[in-house]
Amino acid sequence: MWLGPEEVLLAGALWVTERANPFFLLQRRRGHGKGGGLTGLLVGTLDVVLDSSARVAPYRILHQTQDSQVYWAVACGSSRKEITKHWEWLENNLLQTLSIFDNEEDITTFVKGKIHGIIAEENKNEQPQSEEDPGKFKEAELKMRKQFGMPEVEKLVNYYSCSYWKGRVPRQGWLYLTVNHLCFYSFLLGKEVTLVIQWVDVTQLEKNATLLFPECIKVSTRDSELYFSMFLNINETFKLMEQLANIAMRQLLDNESFLQDKSLPKPRKPLKNISALKRDLDARAKNECYRATFRLPKDECLDGHTDCTLWTPFNKMHIPGQMFVSNNYICFASKAEEACHLIIPLREVTIVEKADSSSVLPSPLSISTKSKMTFFFANLKDRDFLVQRISDFLQRTPSKKPCSIEREWKWNLADPGCEEVPELPSSSPLAVSPTSALSNRPVNFCAGEVPTASQGLLKLFRRNSEELLGPKGAKEKMKEESWNIHFSEYGRGMCMYRTAKTRGLVQKGIPENLRGELWLLFSGAWNEMVTHPGYYADLVEKSMGKYSLATEEIERDLHRSMPEHPAFQNELGIAALRRVLTAYAFRNPTIGYCQAMNIVTSVLLLYCNEEEAFWLLVALCERMLPDYYNTRVVGALVDQGIFEELTREYLPQLSEKMQDLGVISTISLSWFLTLFLSVMPFESAVVIVDCFFYEGIKFILQVSLAILDANMEKLLQCCDEGEAMTILGRYLDNVVNRQSISPPIPHLHALLTSGDDPPLEIDIFELIKTSYEKFSNLKADDIEQMRFKQRLKVIQSLEDTAKKSVVRAVSSDIGFSIEELEELYVVFKAKYLMSCYWGNNRAAAARRDQSLPYLEQYRIDMEQFKELFISLTPWSCGAHTPVLAGRLFRLLDENRDCLINFKEFVTGMSGMYHGDLTEKLKVLYKLHLPPALNPEETESALEATSYFTEDVTTEVSPFVSELDFCLHCESQETQEDKERRSENGPEKEEKGTSPQDYRYYLRMWAKEKESKKETIKDLPKMSQEQFIELCKTLYNMFSEDPVEQELYHAIATVASLLLRIGEVGKKFSNRPMRKSEDCKANNTQDPVSEEESPTSEQSQNSAVEQQPQADHEDKTCGDAQPEKTQQENQTLGDGSGEGQGSPLQLLSDDETKDDMSMSSYSMVSTGSLQCEDIADDTVLVGCEGSSSAARYGSTIDTDWSISFEQILASMLTETALVNYFEKKVNILQKIKDQKKVERQFSSSSDYELSSVSG
């Protein structure tokens, strides 16, 4: 590229001049290219190791004048081709002009001005988005692309100088982190190391220090472990690697590809060597941390944060911490973790003003809210800018107050003993909600038709209890009073100060009347509900009556949701549960419905109305328990891995025992997915839910550890998994809540695990207290870090399981070994993923549906298949290979959706690699018949005749399109049959509203499993055009073979022989064809057949006119090849009949076979011709008959055809052909070579680079 002219004092140091003229020098850097000796090795090493010269291009052009000792660098290039282009431009455009100048200073001034002009012109044409990246970073990105053969769509995020440990020797070089790859390059004293790893292949990332290695980063894949060390800032590097690996895992998990956030604010001053992508990722990390800390909606973006102090009126102190400002919220977090948290929604803010500074309150800022609370922040560094930003956000905040905000928490303040809501016995007819998800009218929530639209089920179904007037009722009122005092001191609603005292109150149990309110506040669900008024009612209306797999599963589980509670023994509770679950499945079809969601939602409905329960479910599924309820419960498996890791850390003795018994994986899923609601008495488990909404998953983990710790002695003495499960089950069944005012609900699990001895009861509040005392040092940040580590492990494990399932499913029908299939699956999946992030569009990502069976999840299109075919096929055909690949793709794509799955892919590969000569030829034969062969491709068949004989002429057969039409009609009929079947079936899917049923795939697989034995007799005959296409393919296939001359001779012999056999078949089939045509005219009324019949008659007449000429020919080859003659006789007898696609083909198969086989047999075996005569006629008809027809410009030879049996018999006579098709090819070696080719380096490099694996 052109450079702004820079002064160079020593032009000869480390450079070699290759070209020169009076004004310019073209130089190459020592060590680049061949030769160079020791000096070259040292320079090459310096260029890689040292930061100052790592970006030096290997070629440059200097401007010089004769009398001056100063040189000016005007251009540089990474390849000889690039620098030569600049050199030629200078010679052609400047040399003649410069010779006019008399003064050397004028020459230099002119050159510098010209180069600056060129650079300005180029910059003007550059894309504006690239301006964000600094120049040095752009150079690094260009070098990365060239070094590792990456396309332009692969974006570099950052690069670092480090050492890669190869054995015990460190290789100093550069680590490039791109969106999809980790790359490393080192050149040290002539030895080169190049590594390319996809992030989706990374199974583990660790930052550790060992005796062997200094502080380093360990990158593990399925095949290797790589160590990188000597980073300038190892923490920054490791954090970025984690983010990129996490994005890759997210892509595997839910098909989300990386898209750069264009809405990020631009930095006020340029950041040195930081790309826009790096800024994007840093902002994402901060946003995720911000949202998780304050439980904010997923679309909230942090604008900035600053240090400050907050005046807390409850203890009259200034608490140091940080203020966070985003689009819709102002938040505060104290430096001491439990001191104070504060969330102020901007929708609640009324006044923001700057107060007067004083020595006590420097730079104060006061914020007032609608709830009459005022918050004082002080010690703000840039108060004016902050006020301006908050003002900007306030202006964007909708001024209209949503109707749901007007509703205060008054319904929670009612005295539990004075409820005016009538009680509903289980037989109450009050329920007006739908009794079915598929029938009944939508419910109008705003009109208050359904009681659950305005209040929780517990109020509707609370039975008169003496407990309300006894000690438990008094205890409950004391709790409520404690919370009311807390509200008066710390505030109520979203703007409440959240302190250690708040946590202490939650640990003692939230009063039933406040439970719904506080769950909504602590989870953050309240924010989403008030900003989306009417959303839930609209969803219910839209989803009512819609059928899907999720609604079917919901209906099945409705009556299994807390059946022991009276609220769900009534249709009112069941209908409310149905609406909430169906609305969520409609909102989030990726999750839809998962077992355990019904149990959690039923508890939410007891304390909240339907809309509140819905938004709590949203907060649970999408923020607090991410990925828990998807099809593979990935989130629960991730937290299970964290639980195992924490058990090893805190309870090492028990961990080993539990690992041996395999208990942790069994117990933890039921504990985590239902938040202990399915394994603990309801009154106790709901206290766990209280603490969970305040603390998050951290609390569930610490309670789980406390349960194991309490049962350690018994568990250590267990002999098997069943005994351990019984011990834990009995323990949990007897965790009681003695303070509950609700009547006890029988716990079904307890009835199954009760023993003979009277159980020892455990108080739930004692269990919670113990968990905080022993395991409260768990940190939310540490858990997130562990989640990342476990997510890598879990998703890669699931991918391995998917691979094994797919391989096992296809292995029975395919000739490849399990090892070969696994390698092919890896290559197939890699090709799919490559299209996701390197394709021109995102269609590939849209093709993957996680709800589909594993076999259908990865599918590739024709272009991807061609790339794989070219690298893996044993039939290399040179330039003809892509054509053959396209034909095989069309043959494999049976459902015509232009995509093939893994089974179809390996079926095609297996046909080329496995089986005997007959099977391989059968595949090759099918590739030259429709639908594999396009009608357009046969147009070029005429050009191929020169390969074999000068006497055969062909034109495009019109019957190819006729056959295509027949196939199209069949596919239409098949589709109509499917539609009729679906209409007559018991269940009708509404078009576009639900995914395909799993039963469809079961039926599809059942059909695939049916044995369809295809014999060579079933293969249709091949027309002359198709046969010549086959010969072209064979000719190309042999072009690079070691014995190509023998193969050329063999295929020429076979092709000539088959052309003559086809002529004889045409000769003997004229009369029967005419008879069958008459029969067809009487019995079938096919418009296409009638349309084509005139052509058939013309060609038959021309063939009959040629026949007398052939009959009068002398014998010339009667004694030649006596062995072949017998085989030719057999093949003629088998089927030298009608041409492919002729009118006869439109009759039934039985009619055709009977008619043709009898006529052929009678013609050959009546004694009118001997075997030798047939051989003679074959040669004569093939030679002279055809040549005379060619001379007189005969029309299309539509009657010529050849059968598969005839091709097979002819090829068996040539040893070279038999050996070629029966030789074994190792596909594993092909796969290995293909992986190397995937990362080929730029061909413009002057020295070869060898890919060195870790």
Side-chain angles (χ1 to χ4, degrees), residues 74-94:
V74 295
C76 68
S78 58
S79 66
R80 189 181 296 276
K81 182 179 178 182
E82 181 186 0
I83 204 69
T84 302
K85 182 180 176 183
H86 290 329
W87 178 264
E88 289 174 352
W89 188 91
L90 290 171
E91 285 191 325
N92 295 334
N93 294 278
L94 286 189

Side-chain angles (χ1 to χ4, degrees), residues 407 421 430-433 441-455 460 537 572 579 609-611:
R407 176 181 54 188
V421 180
L430 181 64
V432 294
S433 53
R441 61 194 177 82
V443 178
N444 187 347
F445 290 95
C446 298
E449 287 186 23
V450 179
T452 51
S454 59
Q455 55 194 319
L460 298 173
L572 180 65
R579 284 192 293 273
N609 65 40
E610 284 187 36
E611 185 179 13

Side-chain angles (χ1 to χ4, degrees), residues 379-442:
N379 295 289
L380 292 160
K381 292 181 181 176
D382 198 349
R383 186 177 60 166
D384 294 340
F385 176 75
L386 183 65
V387 170
Q388 183 60 48
R389 292 300 292 166
I390 294 174
S391 300
D392 292 344
F393 289 131
L394 279 171
Q395 287 176 2
R396 298 176 205 165
T397 305
S399 56
K400 185 181 177 182
K401 182 168 62 175
C403 59
S404 54
I405 292 180
E406 295 173 0
R407 176 181 54 188
E408 297 295 335
W409 299 104
K410 293 175 184 176
W411 60 273
N412 286 301
L413 299 174
D415 187 347
C418 305
E419 289 289 347
E420 296 180 0
V421 180
E423 293 177 12
L424 297 175
S426 58
S427 58
S428 171
L430 181 64
V432 294
S433 53
T435 57
S436 167
L438 303 177
S439 62
N440 267 335
R441 61 194 177 82

Side-chain angles (χ1 to χ4, degrees), residues 754-950:
S754 59
D756 299 329
D757 302 328
L760 178 67
E761 291 187 342
I762 303 97
D763 187 76
I764 181 64
F765 298 105
E766 284 298 319
L767 177 62
I768 290 173
K769 183 181 176 184
T770 304
S771 75
Y772 273 101
E773 287 173 352
K774 292 190 174 182
F775 307 106
S776 63
N777 56 347
L778 287 177
K779 304 294 181 191
D781 292 343
D782 295 339
I783 290 172
E784 282 305 312
Q785 184 69 29
M786 293 165 80
R787 268 182 169 172
F788 161 74
K789 181 180 174 183
Q790 292 297 330
R791 193 178 293 117
L792 279 182
K793 193 182 295 182
V794 167
I795 293 178
Q796 294 293 12
S797 174
L798 288 171
E799 288 295 311
D800 289 341
T801 303
K803 178 173 73 173
K804 289 175 183 174
S805 300
V806 170
V807 166
R808 191 166 54 246
V810 303
S811 59
S812 57
D813 306 326
I814 305 296
F816 290 116
S817 67
I818 296 293
E819 182 189 3
E820 290 170 336
L821 283 172
E822 287 183 347
E823 289 294 324
L824 282 169
Y825 181 84
V826 170
V827 170
F828 184 86
K829 176 181 156 187
K831 184 59 66 178
Y832 165 84
L833 291 173
M834 204 80 73
S835 71
C836 287
Y837 45 73
W838 282 359
N840 293 329
N841 52 40
R842 297 288 173 182
R847 290 200 291 266
R848 190 180 182 206
D849 183 354
Q850 290 281 355
S851 64
L852 293 177
Y854 288 137
L855 187 60
E856 294 290 329
Q857 286 189 12
Y858 295 117
R859 294 182 293 167
I860 59 175
D861 58 24
M862 183 180 285
E863 289 308 311
Q864 296 164 284
F865 176 78
K866 283 182 179 180
E867 293 171 16
L868 284 178
F869 181 89
I870 290 168
S871 57
L872 297 178
T873 179
W875 299 343
S876 178
C877 301
H880 193 64
T881 308
V883 177
L884 201 63
R887 291 176 187 169
L888 182 57
F889 182 88
R890 287 190 290 273
L891 184 66
L892 297 173
D893 182 22
E894 293 181 1
N895 60 356
R896 300 289 177 268
D897 63 350
C898 298
L899 297 169
I900 62 169
N901 62 27
F902 179 68
K903 183 174 182 179
E904 292 165 335
F905 169 71
V906 291
T907 300
M909 287 288 120
S910 182
M912 296 184 288
Y913 275 93
H914 297 286
D916 54 13
L917 172 69
T918 305
E919 292 301 316
K920 291 179 180 176
L921 281 179
K922 193 191 291 185
V923 173
L924 198 60
Y925 186 84
K926 287 179 181 178
L927 293 181
H928 296 81
L929 295 173
L933 188 73
N934 274 339
E936 294 81 10
E937 290 181 321
T938 58
E939 294 177 3
S940 62
L942 188 62
E943 302 168 10
T945 54
S946 58
Y947 295 154
F948 312 111
T949 173
E950 297 292 336

